[in-house]
Amino acid sequence: MGVMSRIASVLLPMPLPEAFDYAEPEGLELAIGDQVAAPLGPRLLRGVVVGLREGAGGNRPLKPVDRRLDEPPLPANTLEFVQWAARYSVDAPGLPLAIALRGARAPKPRPVRVASLTAAQPARVTPARARVMEAATGQALTPAELARAAGVSAGVVKGLIDEGVLEIREVVADARWPEPDLTQPGPTLNASQAAAAAQLNQLIDQRGFQVGLLDGVTGSGKTEVYLEAAAHALAADSTAQVLILLPEIALTQAVIGRVAARFGAAPGEWHSDVAPPARRRVWEAVAAGSCRIVVGARSALFLPFANLKLVVVDEEHDGSFKQEEGFIYHARDLAVARGKIEQAAVVLASATPSLETLRNAETGRYRWLRLSARHGTAQLPTIDLVNLRETPPPSNTWLSPPLVAAMRETLERGEQTLLFLNRRGYAPLVLCRACGERLCAPDTESWLVEHRYSGRLVCHLTGFSMPKPDRCPHCGAKDSLVSIGPGVERVEEEARSIFPEARIAVFSSDTVFDAREARRLVEAMAQGEIDILVATQAAAKGHNFPKLTLVGVVDADLGLRGGDLRAAERTFQLLAQATGRAGRRDRPGRALLQTYAPEHPVMQALKAQDRDAFVAAEMEERQLAGLPPFGRLAAVIASGPDAAQLEDFTREMARVAPNAEGVDVFGPADAPLGLVRGRRRRRFLVRADRGVDLSAYMAAWRARVRPPSAIRLSIDIDPYSFL
Ligand SMILES: [Zn+2]
């Protein structure tokens, strides 16, 4: 009788439907969570052990695991979360695993060669040599740093190395993270903040899964409150870890600065701008538990926390928490799920919470903490609607006379204006006057956007770009292309021509490339070095600009034309955030909204600054239609190069959709964006009652179809994009 062997299920970070079985080699003694190298075809791949059981491999002998990697194992909770996320999103578990391993697969920080003193004495001690030896008694320095510190030439240091007085060692940057200093007092909180902080501390003290909604107008000081809760969580448990999720990198920098100031140590930073070796260091320190505070973008949710006790989702309503490509997920919803798995407290913070979150607060599933007073003495701005039908801007311009007059007054008082337009580039559409052709990216039904800074036409959907041609590519007419409509670059041009003496800057993802540039621009604005800032949504939140007293919204109707479920909600949120920027501290602020629809309920609610009225009206409409938060949605997008094949497949898919009570399947229909990169697209929309397990329904449906290899099928639970 042979020795009883074990089978290891190994999940690979690839789009495969399930984990693969391997034999456990004798003596290896694997454990769940171990990172291993396992053969797949001719290659060895990194994978994670997700199951171990006794037994042999059936008829065929199983291939053995090659070896255990010298890497930290994934904690059980992280593995459970990865598998939960895959089930929820109806996708391959290897995809969220790949996100969880992103830091482990990054290169390790390179060792540094430092020089340190040996016991040997130099044959001859010159003053220069004495200075080098003194400098070398402190921290470990490289030979070049040592020479600089001692003020000597490289030759002096080399001489000491050759004599054996100094020796060269290789050291790796310390993997441990500086401990947060919990003895530092926090800022003084006002009564409303203190009450909210006390309630959050109570949630944390219950030491289980709890969700709180921190709901307060812009400028009410939510950050101070959740940092107080973070301090409480860290102090209550000496190994506790805190994760702060933010929707954008531009915002991350401001919050990292505040965390560092509050705790006397920089937090772990996690987003796409972090260099791979630094990412590796954060990943390892989070797994080891030494990095106790992480500030990051949505993928930070997949880090291997050793003991996660508090998750904060700041700006929880923000659409950028939704990941739309690759593994599709909503980071706010997954944060709540991770909190449940970790038995941690979750804090959702916003000035304009999503309807989903408000509904959970109304029904008591989430603790609702409202911050009423504005921090300090600032007052809410006054909001006025500019009716563009009555006071339109001169033709081919975008700033109306009332807005220009308000900008002039603001400039004369030495105060700042923020012009807000949620549209990148110079013009959203380029049209040929001769033949009427609208320029699109090749094989795509999305308009090309003109960018004057780069002199190119860009497709924001596919990334395609080309230099602006002097002839129409369609009819060949010369100089016939005209730019239609405004983007931020065009509004900037207009502001410069009206106020040539003003200092004007643009803040959009085309002009601000990285976190450092974003920080520089935000600082210049805070220092009063900019008079007029023209911005897309990137600047609409999170920053304190003490001299900003006027916000002009160039096209308040823009979001309302989206035609999707959340169009009104998103417009309200965006405009409330943008207008909330005006007049903090002790200066009264003013916001002007240019609109063709001043009677629209969203505009009326904004003018009255009556969020509750807006929410009540919107909730009623959603309830009547059974839409979120009263029902649930999922989308299916099928795409393929051949229109007829795609139509056949989607018809067949409709035929085999499972019948289930409380589920309606709409479609298939051609997607509004019917052609992208040469692929036709068709969509289904599925609506379900709240009690339905929509993920299970979609998985059952998915299992009934076998798409031809040319057709890609993607499922989007709780879709935010309806294109
Ligand atoms: Zn033409």
Side-chain angles (χ1 to χ4, degrees):
M1 203 176 78
V3 180
M4 195 61 174
S5 57
R6 289 203 301 176
I7 299 173
S9 287
V10 176
L11 190 59
L12 301 169
M14 305 174 76
L16 301 165
E18 55 196 5
F20 288 166
D21 283 347
Y22 293 89
E24 178 187 48
E26 212 169 314
L28 195 56
E29 312 246 327
L30 291 169
I32 288 180
D34 279 352
Q35 295 192 45
V36 295
L40 186 72
R43 292 191 298 159
L44 275 181
L45 296 176
R46 180 195 295 260
V48 174
V49 177
V50 293
L52 285 163
R53 61 184 195 277
E54 301 290 336
N59 310 335
R60 274 185 312 144
L62 291 171
K63 284 190 184 172
V65 164
D66 185 74
R67 65 183 193 279
R68 184 187 1 244
L69 299 174
D70 184 19
E71 300 273 6
L74 282 194
N77 283 345
T78 304
L79 270 187
E80 187 183 341
F81 174 65
V82 159
Q83 289 169 314
W84 187 93
R87 235 180 353 258
Y88 180 81
S89 297
V90 199
D91 212 335
L95 297 178
L97 181 72
I99 306 175
L101 289 178
R102 216 174 262 166
R105 297 158 95 185
K108 287 189 189 251
R110 275 215 212 112
V112 184
R113 290 161 52 86
V114 296
S116 57
L117 287 172
T118 64
Q121 287 301 312
R124 188 168 57 83
V125 182
T126 61
R129 285 185 153 198
R131 287 205 302 277
V132 171
M133 289 170 70
E134 197 190 325
T137 55
Q139 81 259 49
L141 298 173
T142 66
E145 288 167 340
L146 202 50
R148 218 172 307 132
V152 304
S153 71
V156 178
V157 176
K158 186 170 181 302
L160 288 168
I161 294 169
D162 291 345
E163 270 185 45
V165 177
L166 291 172
E167 67 176 357
I168 295 292
R169 303 179 286 131
E170 295 208 326
V171 296
V172 178
D174 190 3
R176 279 198 64 80
W177 212 265
E179 271 285 313
D181 179 1
L182 299 175
T183 61
Q184 288 202 63
T188 312
L189 302 181
N190 66 28
S192 173
Q193 286 177 310
Q199 289 213 54
L200 285 183
N201 293 351
Q202 235 180 48
L203 283 190
I204 290 162
D205 289 339
Q206 289 172 10
R207 290 178 178 257
F209 169 60
Q210 304 279 346
V211 185
L213 165 60
L214 186 57
D215 176 357
V217 295
T218 307
S220 58
K222 293 184 289 295
T223 312
E224 286 96 336
V225 174
Y226 72 63
L227 288 184
E228 208 49 42
H232 187 78
L234 294 170
D237 172 347
S238 64
T239 64
Q241 292 170 299
V242 173
L243 168 63
I244 299 171
L245 283 183
L246 299 161
E248 277 173 28
I249 301 174
L251 218 53
T252 317
Q253 297 309 310
V255 174
I256 282 174
R258 294 175 77 170
V259 171
R262 175 72 179 76
F263 296 107
E269 187 175 342
W270 187 267
H271 51 73
S272 55
D273 260 15
V274 176
R279 211 179 285 174
R280 168 91 194 194
R281 182 167 173 250
V282 173
W283 194 92
E284 286 184 2
V286 167
S290 74
C291 179
R292 298 186 64 202
I293 312 175
V294 175
V295 176
R298 57 196 173 208
S299 63
L301 205 48
F302 293 86
L303 283 168
F305 289 97
N307 183 25
L308 184 60
K309 278 292 157 255
L310 173 66
V311 185
V312 177
V313 184
D314 201 357
E315 310 283 354
E316 69 86 31
H317 64 275
D318 197 296
S320 24
F321 280 122
K322 177 85 186 192
Q323 164 74 33
E324 310 253 40
E325 279 182 3
F327 182 63
I328 299 174
Y329 66 95
H330 196 302
R332 182 234 302 140
D333 297 345
L334 256 53
V336 173
R338 177 122 203 198
K340 194 164 184 185
I341 288 169
E342 302 280 353
Q343 288 297 296
V346 179
V347 175
L348 309 178
S350 176
T352 51
S354 63
L355 264 64
E356 283 85 350
T357 296
L358 279 174
R359 181 73 189 144
N360 280 322
E362 279 172 6
T363 56
R365 274 193 289 270
Y366 295 173
R367 177 105 52 114
W368 196 349
L369 314 166
R370 296 192 88 152
L371 284 179
S372 48
R374 272 203 149 194
H375 200 47
T377 51
Q379 296 155 359
L380 286 172
T382 55
I383 297 180
D384 291 308
L385 304 178
V386 177
N387 186 341
L388 289 177
R389 287 191 301 255
E390 289 168 5
T391 52
S395 87
N396 248 332
T397 65
W398 318 98
L399 304 175
S400 65
L403 180 53
V404 170
M407 288 171 72
R408 180 159 289 124
E409 282 167 30
T410 306
L411 195 59
E412 280 164 3
R413 278 200 308 270
E415 295 171 358
Q416 293 172 310
T417 295
L418 170 67
L419 286 182
F420 176 76
L421 177 64
N422 193 15
R423 229 177 206 165
R424 293 160 51 195
Y426 183 82
L429 172 64
V430 179
L431 184 125
C432 172
R433 254 187 324 226
C435 71
E437 175 82 357
R438 299 165 169 204
L439 299 195
C440 285
D443 303 326
T444 300
E445 285 177 351
S446 150
W447 296 340
L448 289 176
V449 175
E450 181 180 0
H451 287 242
R452 286 251 164 123
Y453 280 125
S454 57
R456 298 181 79 83
L457 305 182
V458 179
C459 173
H460 288 175
L461 188 75
T462 62
F464 167 86
S465 82
M466 62 187 267
K468 189 179 178 187
D470 26 338
R471 285 176 185 280
C472 169
H474 191 65
C475 71
K478 196 163 165 39
D479 296 327
S480 66
L481 298 177
V482 286
S483 312
I484 307 293
V488 276
E489 294 175 12
R490 196 171 206 178
V491 169
E492 181 210 10
E493 183 183 87
E494 186 179 338
R496 276 191 202 285
S497 75
I498 303 172
F499 304 108
E501 71 287 6
R503 297 162 300 172
I504 301 179
V506 175
F507 193 118
S508 96
S509 56
D510 302 300
T511 56
V512 177
F513 296 104
D514 57 19
R516 209 174 40 156
E517 176 63 12
R519 196 163 47 218
R520 198 193 60 74
L521 201 55
V522 165
E523 267 162 27
M525 185 72 182
Q527 299 299 319
E529 291 159 13
I530 295 170
D531 298 313
I532 300 171
L533 183 63
V534 187
T536 58
Q537 63 175 346
K541 51 204 162 186
H543 308 299
N544 277 298
F545 301 133
K547 288 178 78 184
L548 174 64
T549 55
L550 175 66
V551 170
V553 178
V554 177
D555 186 350
D557 306 330
L558 191 57
L560 291 176
R561 294 183 211 123
D564 71 58
L565 163 72
R566 294 182 181 81
E569 183 186 1
R570 199 152 40 213
T571 301
F572 185 87
Q573 286 163 343
L574 202 55
L575 297 185
Q577 297 268 346
T579 55
R581 303 254 65 87
R584 311 179 71 155
R585 307 272 164 101
D586 51 355
R587 291 162 203 254
R590 191 176 172 204
L592 290 178
L593 273 53
Q594 300 195 132
T595 174
Y596 283 101
E599 67 292 336
H600 193 287
V602 171
M603 297 303 150
Q604 287 298 318
L606 277 166
K607 181 174 164 49
Q609 303 192 43
D610 190 346
R611 192 188 88 190
D612 294 348
F614 170 76
V615 168
E618 187 70 14
M619 285 273 196
E620 198 181 321
E621 282 193 25
R622 301 261 190 106
Q623 187 159 24
L624 283 171
L627 291 172
F630 301 93
R632 304 192 56 207
L633 291 179
V636 179
I637 298 111
S639 68
D642 179 351
Q645 184 194 40
L646 183 64
E647 195 169 329
D648 287 349
F649 171 73
T650 49
R651 275 224 200 96
E652 171 63 12
M653 209 176 154
R655 204 181 57 76
V656 301
N659 275 316
E661 200 165 324
V663 179
D664 308 311
V665 177
F666 304 101
D670 287 337
L673 262 174
L675 181 67
V676 177
R677 295 187 183 99
R679 297 175 72 85
R680 303 267 158 200
R681 301 168 79 244
R682 282 167 72 77
R683 295 182 60 107
F684 290 92
L685 188 65
V686 182
R687 194 212 65 83
D689 293 345
R690 267 207 76 90
V692 172
D693 183 344
L694 188 53
S695 298
Y697 177 89
M698 299 304 291
W701 189 8
R702 176 74 182 75
R704 290 184 180 192
V705 293
R706 298 196 120 240
S709 60
I711 288 182
R712 262 193 308 239
L713 199 57
S714 124
I715 293 174
D716 183 354
I717 299 287
D718 196 20
Y720 272 55
S721 163
F722 294 82
L723 299 173

